[in-house]
Amino acid sequence: MSQTTSSAINILILAAGEGMRMGSELPKVLHTVGRRSMLCHVVGTALNMEQYIVVAEIVIVHDPQHLPAFKADITEEFSPHGLEIRYAEQTERRGTGHAVQCGLPHFQRKLPVLVLYGDQPLMGASSLVAMVSALQDHALCLATLRPDDPHGLGRLVQNPDGTVAAIVEEKDASDTDRQIRLCNAGVMALGRGILPLLDALEANNAAAEYYLTDLVALAAQHSLSVQHIEFPTNEMASVNTLAQLATAESLWQSQIRAKFLASGVQMLAP
């Protein structure tokens, strides 16, 4: 494939969540959108980035119980691709920061890392590449969105130059903070300079978990710049319930219909 940049990236996919709200014994990320698991959607998007950038390695963070199911799902679709996909076990679920700590040692090359989530099946490759490109000037880049209802999402506090000053979780937000419409979408691109700060994450919170979002505050302490890329809200749709899965299915079908209509396929009732 043609490349528009010589940069290379490692991709870490977090997929160890229990998905208890799905009401199913099937791992959350193996639920399907368009008859394809959400995990395969995310891996497919990661591989589509190769149109623009070198994807060096992909590691999937999983829980111990479901590794055989994950491997079977991924192998069936992606084994002909040629890129080895490795797996990292997260024995204890101690937050997103902990999940990244579990995955990093499984990369063989020290490169910037793009952190994706296995329950966000609608992301676009070109938007993710823009996040990676931002690492040329910044230590960290966040994916953001402006949802109609920001309830439950962390808000981004920005510096005058547009860079990110802090992420304020809703439970800690003031009335002024809650008026901010720009929200954290979870996905992060981590430059090589900020990766050592993962060891400084602390679990000083009510959940006793290591939050990846705490990297923003650590970056500020070390005078490292943090930027964000705003995504269309639909691209960043996360699935935690069956209702959200149904919404993702509807959005995916709308995308497919629009794609085929634009290519000249006629539909009686699109």
Side-chain angles (χ1 to χ4, degrees), residues 112 130-142 159 161-164 189-194 219 223-229:
M131 291 183 64
V132 176
S133 297
L135 295 179
Q136 297 176 13
D137 301 307
H138 305 278
L140 174 64
C141 185
L142 314 175
N159 296 310
D161 64 356
T163 56
V164 182
L190 312 178
R192 291 181 61 179
I194 206 169
S223 300
L224 298 174
S225 177
V226 180
Q227 188 54 279
H228 75 94
I229 300 291

Side-chain angles (χ1 to χ4, degrees), residues 7-9 49 53 112 114 127-136 141 189 229:
S7 300
I9 191 79
M49 291 174 64
I53 194 171
L114 180 64
S127 299
L128 295 175
V129 170
M131 291 183 64
V132 176
S133 297
L135 295 179
Q136 297 176 13
C141 185
I229 300 291

Side-chain angles (χ1 to χ4, degrees), residues 71-175:
K71 282 188 172 181
D73 185 58
I74 294 298
T75 301
E76 181 178 2
E77 181 166 350
F78 296 109
S79 59
H81 184 273
L83 178 66
E84 179 187 3
I85 297 174
R86 289 191 293 279
Y87 299 84
E89 184 175 294
Q90 185 182 17
T91 305
E92 298 179 90
R93 295 181 178 89
R94 301 198 62 192
T96 51
H98 178 248
V100 173
Q101 290 171 344
C102 291
L104 286 183
H106 292 262
F107 290 115
Q108 297 178 350
R109 296 174 58 187
K110 293 183 178 180
L111 295 169
V113 176
L114 180 64
V115 181
L116 306 179
Y117 291 80
D119 62 0
Q120 291 179 314
L122 304 178
M123 293 178 294
S126 59
S127 299
L128 295 175
V129 170
M131 291 183 64
V132 176
S133 297
L135 295 179
Q136 297 176 13
D137 301 307
H138 305 278
L140 174 64
C141 185
L142 314 175
T144 57
L145 72 166
R146 295 180 190 269
D148 294 333
D149 180 8
H151 178 72
L153 297 176
R155 310 304 205 277
L156 259 71
V157 180
Q158 294 176 267
N159 296 310
D161 64 356
T163 56
V164 182
I167 296 177
V168 181
E169 299 299 334
E170 185 168 89
K171 63 179 180 295
D172 302 318
S174 65
D175 290 340

